[in-house]
Amino acid sequence: MVELKSSCRPNITFRPIRPSDLEVLEQLHRDLFPIRYEPEFFHNVVNGHDIVSWGAVDSSRPSIQSDQLIGFVTVKIVLAKESEISDLLRCDSSIADQTLIYILTLGVVESYRTLGVASALIREVIKYASNMPACRAVYLHVISYNVPAIHLYRKMAFTCVRRLYGFYVINGQHYDSYLFVYYVNSGRSPCSPLELVMVMITYLRSAVKLVAARLWRNDEKKAAWKATSSKCKDGRCLMGLKTHSKRNPTIESSSEY
């Protein structure tokens, strides 16, 4: 595993992944991910067969290691209409084949984390997608227990649009996945089915709260009216008693004279 020497200030640069990176790339994937990738995947990455990639290197390291990968991101281009988020995209009839960028893998050597390498790699992907007029979004899956990755994508303004139950199977155990999307080139649908459901839920909650508030106010008014009526009745009785008690002394006084 690559280690960062504290005495050196890293100088991180980015470049495409090359065939000479094959061995290091395979080792990094073994070290960082619980999922095992087929050899074909790595050959496609290093040779650029249907996969676009960026590698992060630290040029401040000794010359032999200055071009060795310390981070990477691999992506592929997919047709929007064939993707699982086609219902979340804005349709543009003027563009025949709208596309998406799907992030396959993203990883950074542990000793280089918290230096912004992963964020920089994601920005490279977003810039690449934004420069493709037909591209509508960047999306990816994150396993549910990978909290640091979830925080990273939220910080990078990705939107969590779905939770997929049992999406991953690792060592015979099922794990959920979160689906994150970053829209580019006005790719966000103005009214997706998911958003319609959320709007309806919000509307119903507001309506229930409004009705409950009105009922509560009506109950308060009724209680206040009853209390007032009761006081008025008691008041009349008291007034009658007071009047009667005032008259009696007068009568008694007059009888004394």
Side-chain angles (χ1 to χ4, degrees), residues 25-57:
L25 186 67
E26 288 179 329
Q27 184 61 51
L28 289 176
H29 277 73
R30 284 194 294 269
D31 293 339
L32 298 176
F33 302 120
I35 298 173
R36 293 295 169 254
Y37 293 86
E38 297 295 329
E40 183 183 3
F41 167 74
F42 298 107
H43 285 285
N44 288 338
V45 172
V46 299
N47 292 299
H49 293 164
D50 299 323
I51 294 178
V52 182
S53 63
W54 290 262
V57 298

PDB file of all heavy atoms in Angstrom, residues 25-57:
ATOM      1  N   LEU A  25      -3.513  -0.769 -10.123  1.00  0.00           N
ATOM      2  CA  LEU A  25      -4.967  -0.588 -10.138  1.00  0.00           C
ATOM      3  C   LEU A  25      -5.678  -1.814  -9.566  1.00  0.00           C
ATOM      4  O   LEU A  25      -6.623  -1.680  -8.765  1.00  0.00           O
ATOM      5  CB  LEU A  25      -5.440  -0.322 -11.565  1.00  0.00           C
ATOM      6  CG  LEU A  25      -6.920   0.025 -11.738  1.00  0.00           C
ATOM      7  CD1 LEU A  25      -7.227   1.368 -11.099  1.00  0.00           C
ATOM      8  CD2 LEU A  25      -7.302   0.035 -13.216  1.00  0.00           C
ATOM      9  N   GLU A  26      -5.235  -2.987  -9.946  1.00  0.00           N
ATOM     10  CA  GLU A  26      -5.829  -4.223  -9.420  1.00  0.00           C
ATOM     11  C   GLU A  26      -5.621  -4.321  -7.911  1.00  0.00           C
ATOM     12  O   GLU A  26      -6.551  -4.675  -7.164  1.00  0.00           O
ATOM     13  CB  GLU A  26      -5.204  -5.437 -10.112  1.00  0.00           C
ATOM     14  CG  GLU A  26      -5.632  -5.613 -11.558  1.00  0.00           C
ATOM     15  CD  GLU A  26      -4.966  -6.803 -12.212  1.00  0.00           C
ATOM     16  OE1 GLU A  26      -3.816  -7.129 -11.826  1.00  0.00           O
ATOM     17  OE2 GLU A  26      -5.576  -7.414 -13.100  1.00  0.00           O
ATOM     18  N   GLN A  27      -4.428  -3.980  -7.448  1.00  0.00           N
ATOM     19  CA  GLN A  27      -4.130  -4.053  -6.023  1.00  0.00           C
ATOM     20  C   GLN A  27      -4.968  -3.056  -5.226  1.00  0.00           C
ATOM     21  O   GLN A  27      -5.491  -3.380  -4.151  1.00  0.00           O
ATOM     22  CB  GLN A  27      -2.646  -3.788  -5.771  1.00  0.00           C
ATOM     23  CG  GLN A  27      -2.216  -3.943  -4.317  1.00  0.00           C
ATOM     24  CD  GLN A  27      -2.450  -5.342  -3.797  1.00  0.00           C
ATOM     25  OE1 GLN A  27      -2.050  -6.327  -4.417  1.00  0.00           O
ATOM     26  NE2 GLN A  27      -3.110  -5.451  -2.639  1.00  0.00           N
ATOM     27  N   LEU A  28      -5.126  -1.857  -5.743  1.00  0.00           N
ATOM     28  CA  LEU A  28      -5.927  -0.847  -5.054  1.00  0.00           C
ATOM     29  C   LEU A  28      -7.383  -1.291  -4.939  1.00  0.00           C
ATOM     30  O   LEU A  28      -8.021  -1.093  -3.892  1.00  0.00           O
ATOM     31  CB  LEU A  28      -5.841   0.495  -5.793  1.00  0.00           C
ATOM     32  CG  LEU A  28      -4.499   1.225  -5.704  1.00  0.00           C
ATOM     33  CD1 LEU A  28      -4.521   2.493  -6.551  1.00  0.00           C
ATOM     34  CD2 LEU A  28      -4.156   1.573  -4.262  1.00  0.00           C
ATOM     35  N   HIS A  29      -7.917  -1.883  -5.977  1.00  0.00           N
ATOM     36  CA  HIS A  29      -9.301  -2.361  -5.920  1.00  0.00           C
ATOM     37  C   HIS A  29      -9.450  -3.493  -4.905  1.00  0.00           C
ATOM     38  O   HIS A  29     -10.461  -3.566  -4.196  1.00  0.00           O
ATOM     39  CB  HIS A  29      -9.764  -2.822  -7.312  1.00  0.00           C
ATOM     40  CG  HIS A  29     -10.248  -1.710  -8.185  1.00  0.00           C
ATOM     41  ND1 HIS A  29      -9.391  -0.788  -8.759  1.00  0.00           N
ATOM     42  CD2 HIS A  29     -11.500  -1.350  -8.576  1.00  0.00           C
ATOM     43  CE1 HIS A  29     -10.091   0.080  -9.471  1.00  0.00           C
ATOM     44  NE2 HIS A  29     -11.371  -0.234  -9.375  1.00  0.00           N
ATOM     45  N   ARG A  30      -8.465  -4.360  -4.816  1.00  0.00           N
ATOM     46  CA  ARG A  30      -8.512  -5.434  -3.821  1.00  0.00           C
ATOM     47  C   ARG A  30      -8.462  -4.871  -2.407  1.00  0.00           C
ATOM     48  O   ARG A  30      -9.131  -5.365  -1.498  1.00  0.00           O
ATOM     49  CB  ARG A  30      -7.362  -6.425  -4.038  1.00  0.00           C
ATOM     50  CG  ARG A  30      -7.569  -7.383  -5.203  1.00  0.00           C
ATOM     51  CD  ARG A  30      -6.566  -8.535  -5.149  1.00  0.00           C
ATOM     52  NE  ARG A  30      -5.187  -8.064  -5.352  1.00  0.00           N
ATOM     53  CZ  ARG A  30      -4.588  -7.989  -6.536  1.00  0.00           C
ATOM     54  NH1 ARG A  30      -5.239  -8.338  -7.636  1.00  0.00           N
ATOM     55  NH2 ARG A  30      -3.338  -7.568  -6.633  1.00  0.00           N
ATOM     56  N   ASP A  31      -7.650  -3.830  -2.209  1.00  0.00           N
ATOM     57  CA  ASP A  31      -7.482  -3.242  -0.878  1.00  0.00           C
ATOM     58  C   ASP A  31      -8.690  -2.419  -0.437  1.00  0.00           C
ATOM     59  O   ASP A  31      -9.003  -2.359   0.757  1.00  0.00           O
ATOM     60  CB  ASP A  31      -6.237  -2.353  -0.849  1.00  0.00           C
ATOM     61  CG  ASP A  31      -4.947  -3.148  -1.011  1.00  0.00           C
ATOM     62  OD1 ASP A  31      -4.974  -4.368  -0.742  1.00  0.00           O
ATOM     63  OD2 ASP A  31      -3.930  -2.544  -1.417  1.00  0.00           O
ATOM     64  N   LEU A  32      -9.355  -1.791  -1.388  1.00  0.00           N
ATOM     65  CA  LEU A  32     -10.379  -0.806  -1.039  1.00  0.00           C
ATOM     66  C   LEU A  32     -11.811  -1.310  -1.101  1.00  0.00           C
ATOM     67  O   LEU A  32     -12.692  -0.733  -0.450  1.00  0.00           O
ATOM     68  CB  LEU A  32     -10.243   0.422  -1.956  1.00  0.00           C
ATOM     69  CG  LEU A  32      -8.918   1.196  -1.869  1.00  0.00           C
ATOM     70  CD1 LEU A  32      -8.891   2.319  -2.905  1.00  0.00           C
ATOM     71  CD2 LEU A  32      -8.713   1.765  -0.474  1.00  0.00           C
ATOM     72  N   PHE A  33     -12.080  -2.350  -1.891  1.00  0.00           N
ATOM     73  CA  PHE A  33     -13.475  -2.752  -2.115  1.00  0.00           C
ATOM     74  C   PHE A  33     -13.736  -4.192  -1.672  1.00  0.00           C
ATOM     75  O   PHE A  33     -12.871  -5.061  -1.823  1.00  0.00           O
ATOM     76  CB  PHE A  33     -13.838  -2.617  -3.604  1.00  0.00           C
ATOM     77  CG  PHE A  33     -13.656  -1.224  -4.142  1.00  0.00           C
ATOM     78  CD1 PHE A  33     -12.777  -0.988  -5.193  1.00  0.00           C
ATOM     79  CD2 PHE A  33     -14.350  -0.158  -3.609  1.00  0.00           C
ATOM     80  CE1 PHE A  33     -12.599   0.288  -5.694  1.00  0.00           C
ATOM     81  CE2 PHE A  33     -14.185   1.121  -4.101  1.00  0.00           C
ATOM     82  CZ  PHE A  33     -13.308   1.348  -5.144  1.00  0.00           C
ATOM     83  N   PRO A  34     -14.927  -4.445  -1.144  1.00  0.00           N
ATOM     84  CA  PRO A  34     -15.292  -5.819  -0.751  1.00  0.00           C
ATOM     85  C   PRO A  34     -15.713  -6.661  -1.956  1.00  0.00           C
ATOM     86  O   PRO A  34     -15.838  -7.876  -1.846  1.00  0.00           O
ATOM     87  CB  PRO A  34     -16.476  -5.600   0.200  1.00  0.00           C
ATOM     88  CG  PRO A  34     -17.110  -4.339  -0.291  1.00  0.00           C
ATOM     89  CD  PRO A  34     -15.976  -3.471  -0.769  1.00  0.00           C
ATOM     90  N   ILE A  35     -15.941  -5.987  -3.090  1.00  0.00           N
ATOM     91  CA  ILE A  35     -16.364  -6.679  -4.311  1.00  0.00           C
ATOM     92  C   ILE A  35     -15.144  -6.997  -5.160  1.00  0.00           C
ATOM     93  O   ILE A  35     -14.242  -6.157  -5.305  1.00  0.00           O
ATOM     94  CB  ILE A  35     -17.351  -5.809  -5.120  1.00  0.00           C
ATOM     95  CG1 ILE A  35     -18.612  -5.540  -4.287  1.00  0.00           C
ATOM     96  CG2 ILE A  35     -17.719  -6.473  -6.435  1.00  0.00           C
ATOM     97  CD1 ILE A  35     -19.570  -4.565  -4.919  1.00  0.00           C
ATOM     98  N   ARG A  36     -15.112  -8.182  -5.735  1.00  0.00           N
ATOM     99  CA  ARG A  36     -14.002  -8.585  -6.592  1.00  0.00           C
ATOM    100  C   ARG A  36     -14.371  -8.349  -8.053  1.00  0.00           C
ATOM    101  O   ARG A  36     -15.438  -8.770  -8.505  1.00  0.00           O
ATOM    102  CB  ARG A  36     -13.665 -10.069  -6.364  1.00  0.00           C
ATOM    103  CG  ARG A  36     -13.095 -10.341  -4.981  1.00  0.00           C
ATOM    104  CD  ARG A  36     -11.728  -9.652  -4.798  1.00  0.00           C
ATOM    105  NE  ARG A  36     -11.284  -9.689  -3.407  1.00  0.00           N
ATOM    106  CZ  ARG A  36     -11.308  -8.633  -2.611  1.00  0.00           C
ATOM    107  NH1 ARG A  36     -11.781  -7.477  -3.047  1.00  0.00           N
ATOM    108  NH2 ARG A  36     -10.876  -8.727  -1.373  1.00  0.00           N
ATOM    109  N   TYR A  37     -13.500  -7.658  -8.768  1.00  0.00           N
ATOM    110  CA  TYR A  37     -13.740  -7.332 -10.174  1.00  0.00           C
ATOM    111  C   TYR A  37     -12.993  -8.301 -11.085  1.00  0.00           C
ATOM    112  O   TYR A  37     -11.893  -8.758 -10.770  1.00  0.00           O
ATOM    113  CB  TYR A  37     -13.301  -5.889 -10.461  1.00  0.00           C
ATOM    114  CG  TYR A  37     -14.154  -4.859  -9.759  1.00  0.00           C
ATOM    115  CD1 TYR A  37     -13.852  -4.470  -8.448  1.00  0.00           C
ATOM    116  CD2 TYR A  37     -15.263  -4.305 -10.376  1.00  0.00           C
ATOM    117  CE1 TYR A  37     -14.640  -3.534  -7.788  1.00  0.00           C
ATOM    118  CE2 TYR A  37     -16.055  -3.369  -9.730  1.00  0.00           C
ATOM    119  CZ  TYR A  37     -15.741  -2.991  -8.436  1.00  0.00           C
ATOM    120  OH  TYR A  37     -16.524  -2.080  -7.774  1.00  0.00           O
ATOM    121  N   GLU A  38     -13.605  -8.584 -12.219  1.00  0.00           N
ATOM    122  CA  GLU A  38     -13.020  -9.505 -13.186  1.00  0.00           C
ATOM    123  C   GLU A  38     -11.809  -8.875 -13.870  1.00  0.00           C
ATOM    124  O   GLU A  38     -11.752  -7.646 -14.028  1.00  0.00           O
ATOM    125  CB  GLU A  38     -14.062  -9.885 -14.247  1.00  0.00           C
ATOM    126  CG  GLU A  38     -15.276 -10.630 -13.708  1.00  0.00           C
ATOM    127  CD  GLU A  38     -14.898 -11.995 -13.147  1.00  0.00           C
ATOM    128  OE1 GLU A  38     -13.933 -12.597 -13.656  1.00  0.00           O
ATOM    129  OE2 GLU A  38     -15.567 -12.448 -12.190  1.00  0.00           O
ATOM    130  N   PRO A  39     -10.842  -9.688 -14.293  1.00  0.00           N
ATOM    131  CA  PRO A  39      -9.668  -9.153 -15.012  1.00  0.00           C
ATOM    132  C   PRO A  39     -10.045  -8.330 -16.233  1.00  0.00           C
ATOM    133  O   PRO A  39      -9.369  -7.356 -16.569  1.00  0.00           O
ATOM    134  CB  PRO A  39      -8.906 -10.427 -15.400  1.00  0.00           C
ATOM    135  CG  PRO A  39      -9.297 -11.436 -14.371  1.00  0.00           C
ATOM    136  CD  PRO A  39     -10.732 -11.141 -14.053  1.00  0.00           C
ATOM    137  N   GLU A  40     -11.148  -8.716 -16.869  1.00  0.00           N
ATOM    138  CA  GLU A  40     -11.592  -7.979 -18.056  1.00  0.00           C
ATOM    139  C   GLU A  40     -11.875  -6.515 -17.737  1.00  0.00           C
ATOM    140  O   GLU A  40     -11.610  -5.624 -18.549  1.00  0.00           O
ATOM    141  CB  GLU A  40     -12.843  -8.647 -18.629  1.00  0.00           C
ATOM    142  CG  GLU A  40     -13.352  -7.992 -19.914  1.00  0.00           C
ATOM    143  CD  GLU A  40     -14.633  -8.625 -20.414  1.00  0.00           C
ATOM    144  OE1 GLU A  40     -15.159  -9.528 -19.727  1.00  0.00           O
ATOM    145  OE2 GLU A  40     -15.103  -8.216 -21.491  1.00  0.00           O
ATOM    146  N   PHE A  41     -12.424  -6.293 -16.538  1.00  0.00           N
ATOM    147  CA  PHE A  41     -12.725  -4.922 -16.130  1.00  0.00           C
ATOM    148  C   PHE A  41     -11.457  -4.071 -16.120  1.00  0.00           C
ATOM    149  O   PHE A  41     -11.424  -2.961 -16.663  1.00  0.00           O
ATOM    150  CB  PHE A  41     -13.380  -4.910 -14.743  1.00  0.00           C
ATOM    151  CG  PHE A  41     -13.453  -3.555 -14.102  1.00  0.00           C
ATOM    152  CD1 PHE A  41     -14.368  -2.608 -14.535  1.00  0.00           C
ATOM    153  CD2 PHE A  41     -12.581  -3.204 -13.068  1.00  0.00           C
ATOM    154  CE1 PHE A  41     -14.433  -1.347 -13.944  1.00  0.00           C
ATOM    155  CE2 PHE A  41     -12.636  -1.960 -12.479  1.00  0.00           C
ATOM    156  CZ  PHE A  41     -13.559  -1.026 -12.921  1.00  0.00           C
ATOM    157  N   PHE A  42     -10.398  -4.569 -15.523  1.00  0.00           N
ATOM    158  CA  PHE A  42      -9.152  -3.806 -15.415  1.00  0.00           C
ATOM    159  C   PHE A  42      -8.509  -3.589 -16.784  1.00  0.00           C
ATOM    160  O   PHE A  42      -7.980  -2.502 -17.061  1.00  0.00           O
ATOM    161  CB  PHE A  42      -8.185  -4.517 -14.466  1.00  0.00           C
ATOM    162  CG  PHE A  42      -8.706  -4.629 -13.062  1.00  0.00           C
ATOM    163  CD1 PHE A  42      -9.144  -5.854 -12.554  1.00  0.00           C
ATOM    164  CD2 PHE A  42      -8.790  -3.512 -12.235  1.00  0.00           C
ATOM    165  CE1 PHE A  42      -9.626  -5.957 -11.263  1.00  0.00           C
ATOM    166  CE2 PHE A  42      -9.273  -3.606 -10.943  1.00  0.00           C
ATOM    167  CZ  PHE A  42      -9.702  -4.832 -10.456  1.00  0.00           C
ATOM    168  N   HIS A  43      -8.589  -4.580 -17.646  1.00  0.00           N
ATOM    169  CA  HIS A  43      -8.036  -4.421 -18.988  1.00  0.00           C
ATOM    170  C   HIS A  43      -8.828  -3.372 -19.775  1.00  0.00           C
ATOM    171  O   HIS A  43      -8.244  -2.590 -20.538  1.00  0.00           O
ATOM    172  CB  HIS A  43      -8.034  -5.770 -19.718  1.00  0.00           C
ATOM    173  CG  HIS A  43      -6.959  -6.694 -19.254  1.00  0.00           C
ATOM    174  ND1 HIS A  43      -5.628  -6.537 -19.604  1.00  0.00           N
ATOM    175  CD2 HIS A  43      -7.002  -7.790 -18.434  1.00  0.00           C
ATOM    176  CE1 HIS A  43      -4.902  -7.496 -19.046  1.00  0.00           C
ATOM    177  NE2 HIS A  43      -5.711  -8.263 -18.320  1.00  0.00           N
ATOM    178  N   ASN A  44     -10.120  -3.334 -19.569  1.00  0.00           N
ATOM    179  CA  ASN A  44     -10.937  -2.318 -20.236  1.00  0.00           C
ATOM    180  C   ASN A  44     -10.600  -0.915 -19.723  1.00  0.00           C
ATOM    181  O   ASN A  44     -10.593   0.053 -20.486  1.00  0.00           O
ATOM    182  CB  ASN A  44     -12.421  -2.604 -20.026  1.00  0.00           C
ATOM    183  CG  ASN A  44     -12.905  -3.804 -20.817  1.00  0.00           C
ATOM    184  OD1 ASN A  44     -12.288  -4.185 -21.819  1.00  0.00           O
ATOM    185  ND2 ASN A  44     -14.000  -4.405 -20.383  1.00  0.00           N
ATOM    186  N   VAL A  45     -10.310  -0.830 -18.426  1.00  0.00           N
ATOM    187  CA  VAL A  45      -9.973   0.476 -17.842  1.00  0.00           C
ATOM    188  C   VAL A  45      -8.653   0.998 -18.404  1.00  0.00           C
ATOM    189  O   VAL A  45      -8.576   2.121 -18.913  1.00  0.00           O
ATOM    190  CB  VAL A  45      -9.887   0.388 -16.297  1.00  0.00           C
ATOM    191  CG1 VAL A  45      -9.340   1.709 -15.731  1.00  0.00           C
ATOM    192  CG2 VAL A  45     -11.249   0.092 -15.696  1.00  0.00           C
ATOM    193  N   VAL A  46      -7.607   0.187 -18.301  1.00  0.00           N
ATOM    194  CA  VAL A  46      -6.265   0.663 -18.698  1.00  0.00           C
ATOM    195  C   VAL A  46      -6.151   0.873 -20.206  1.00  0.00           C
ATOM    196  O   VAL A  46      -5.315   1.651 -20.675  1.00  0.00           O
ATOM    197  CB  VAL A  46      -5.164  -0.299 -18.204  1.00  0.00           C
ATOM    198  CG1 VAL A  46      -5.182  -0.397 -16.690  1.00  0.00           C
ATOM    199  CG2 VAL A  46      -5.292  -1.673 -18.840  1.00  0.00           C
ATOM    200  N   ASN A  47      -6.996   0.187 -20.971  1.00  0.00           N
ATOM    201  CA  ASN A  47      -6.947   0.342 -22.429  1.00  0.00           C
ATOM    202  C   ASN A  47      -8.042   1.257 -22.964  1.00  0.00           C
ATOM    203  O   ASN A  47      -8.132   1.477 -24.174  1.00  0.00           O
ATOM    204  CB  ASN A  47      -7.062  -1.032 -23.105  1.00  0.00           C
ATOM    205  CG  ASN A  47      -5.838  -1.896 -22.844  1.00  0.00           C
ATOM    206  OD1 ASN A  47      -4.725  -1.542 -23.214  1.00  0.00           O
ATOM    207  ND2 ASN A  47      -6.047  -3.037 -22.184  1.00  0.00           N
ATOM    208  N   GLY A  48      -8.877   1.773 -22.069  1.00  0.00           N
ATOM    209  CA  GLY A  48      -9.908   2.712 -22.489  1.00  0.00           C
ATOM    210  C   GLY A  48     -10.996   2.099 -23.337  1.00  0.00           C
ATOM    211  O   GLY A  48     -11.573   2.779 -24.191  1.00  0.00           O
ATOM    212  N   HIS A  49     -11.320   0.837 -23.106  1.00  0.00           N
ATOM    213  CA  HIS A  49     -12.383   0.158 -23.854  1.00  0.00           C
ATOM    214  C   HIS A  49     -13.729   0.410 -23.185  1.00  0.00           C
ATOM    215  O   HIS A  49     -14.056  -0.242 -22.182  1.00  0.00           O
ATOM    216  CB  HIS A  49     -12.103  -1.343 -23.941  1.00  0.00           C
ATOM    217  CG  HIS A  49     -10.910  -1.676 -24.774  1.00  0.00           C
ATOM    218  ND1 HIS A  49     -10.283  -2.914 -24.736  1.00  0.00           N
ATOM    219  CD2 HIS A  49     -10.209  -0.928 -25.683  1.00  0.00           C
ATOM    220  CE1 HIS A  49      -9.251  -2.910 -25.578  1.00  0.00           C
ATOM    221  NE2 HIS A  49      -9.189  -1.726 -26.154  1.00  0.00           N
ATOM    222  N   ASP A  50     -14.484   1.352 -23.688  1.00  0.00           N
ATOM    223  CA  ASP A  50     -15.818   1.699 -23.155  1.00  0.00           C
ATOM    224  C   ASP A  50     -15.775   2.224 -21.725  1.00  0.00           C
ATOM    225  O   ASP A  50     -16.827   2.344 -21.084  1.00  0.00           O
ATOM    226  CB  ASP A  50     -16.755   0.488 -23.220  1.00  0.00           C
ATOM    227  CG  ASP A  50     -16.965  -0.013 -24.640  1.00  0.00           C
ATOM    228  OD1 ASP A  50     -17.029   0.837 -25.555  1.00  0.00           O
ATOM    229  OD2 ASP A  50     -17.048  -1.233 -24.829  1.00  0.00           O
ATOM    230  N   ILE A  51     -14.608   2.507 -21.204  1.00  0.00           N
ATOM    231  CA  ILE A  51     -14.480   3.062 -19.858  1.00  0.00           C
ATOM    232  C   ILE A  51     -13.528   4.253 -19.902  1.00  0.00           C
ATOM    233  O   ILE A  51     -12.457   4.182 -20.504  1.00  0.00           O
ATOM    234  CB  ILE A  51     -13.949   2.009 -18.862  1.00  0.00           C
ATOM    235  CG1 ILE A  51     -14.984   0.891 -18.679  1.00  0.00           C
ATOM    236  CG2 ILE A  51     -13.635   2.636 -17.504  1.00  0.00           C
ATOM    237  CD1 ILE A  51     -14.553  -0.226 -17.746  1.00  0.00           C
ATOM    238  N   VAL A  52     -13.948   5.344 -19.257  1.00  0.00           N
ATOM    239  CA  VAL A  52     -13.116   6.541 -19.141  1.00  0.00           C
ATOM    240  C   VAL A  52     -12.598   6.593 -17.713  1.00  0.00           C
ATOM    241  O   VAL A  52     -13.328   6.272 -16.767  1.00  0.00           O
ATOM    242  CB  VAL A  52     -13.921   7.816 -19.462  1.00  0.00           C
ATOM    243  CG1 VAL A  52     -13.032   9.056 -19.397  1.00  0.00           C
ATOM    244  CG2 VAL A  52     -14.580   7.693 -20.837  1.00  0.00           C
ATOM    245  N   SER A  53     -11.334   6.976 -17.546  1.00  0.00           N
ATOM    246  CA  SER A  53     -10.753   6.945 -16.202  1.00  0.00           C
ATOM    247  C   SER A  53      -9.812   8.117 -15.962  1.00  0.00           C
ATOM    248  O   SER A  53      -9.270   8.704 -16.898  1.00  0.00           O
ATOM    249  CB  SER A  53      -9.987   5.631 -15.989  1.00  0.00           C
ATOM    250  OG  SER A  53      -8.900   5.554 -16.898  1.00  0.00           O
ATOM    251  N   TRP A  54      -9.658   8.422 -14.675  1.00  0.00           N
ATOM    252  CA  TRP A  54      -8.694   9.436 -14.225  1.00  0.00           C
ATOM    253  C   TRP A  54      -7.900   8.825 -13.089  1.00  0.00           C
ATOM    254  O   TRP A  54      -8.462   8.173 -12.192  1.00  0.00           O
ATOM    255  CB  TRP A  54      -9.394  10.692 -13.724  1.00  0.00           C
ATOM    256  CG  TRP A  54     -10.052  11.515 -14.772  1.00  0.00           C
ATOM    257  CD1 TRP A  54      -9.573  12.643 -15.395  1.00  0.00           C
ATOM    258  CD2 TRP A  54     -11.364  11.298 -15.322  1.00  0.00           C
ATOM    259  NE1 TRP A  54     -10.484  13.119 -16.294  1.00  0.00           N
ATOM    260  CE2 TRP A  54     -11.591  12.311 -16.279  1.00  0.00           C
ATOM    261  CE3 TRP A  54     -12.361  10.338 -15.119  1.00  0.00           C
ATOM    262  CZ2 TRP A  54     -12.756  12.391 -17.014  1.00  0.00           C
ATOM    263  CZ3 TRP A  54     -13.521  10.406 -15.849  1.00  0.00           C
ATOM    264  CH2 TRP A  54     -13.714  11.431 -16.788  1.00  0.00           C
ATOM    265  N   GLY A  55      -6.604   9.038 -13.110  1.00  0.00           N
ATOM    266  CA  GLY A  55      -5.757   8.588 -12.029  1.00  0.00           C
ATOM    267  C   GLY A  55      -5.154   9.779 -11.311  1.00  0.00           C
ATOM    268  O   GLY A  55      -4.818  10.794 -11.939  1.00  0.00           O
ATOM    269  N   ALA A  56      -5.039   9.688  -9.995  1.00  0.00           N
ATOM    270  CA  ALA A  56      -4.406  10.742  -9.199  1.00  0.00           C
ATOM    271  C   ALA A  56      -3.009  10.261  -8.815  1.00  0.00           C
ATOM    272  O   ALA A  56      -2.839   9.128  -8.357  1.00  0.00           O
ATOM    273  CB  ALA A  56      -5.221  11.034  -7.951  1.00  0.00           C
ATOM    274  N   VAL A  57      -2.012  11.120  -9.006  1.00  0.00           N
ATOM    275  CA  VAL A  57      -0.633  10.788  -8.644  1.00  0.00           C
ATOM    276  C   VAL A  57      -0.051  11.925  -7.819  1.00  0.00           C
ATOM    277  O   VAL A  57      -0.517  13.070  -7.894  1.00  0.00           O
ATOM    278  CB  VAL A  57       0.241  10.530  -9.893  1.00  0.00           C
ATOM    279  CG1 VAL A  57      -0.290   9.345 -10.679  1.00  0.00           C
ATOM    280  CG2 VAL A  57       0.305  11.765 -10.786  1.00  0.00           C
TER     281      VAL A  57
END
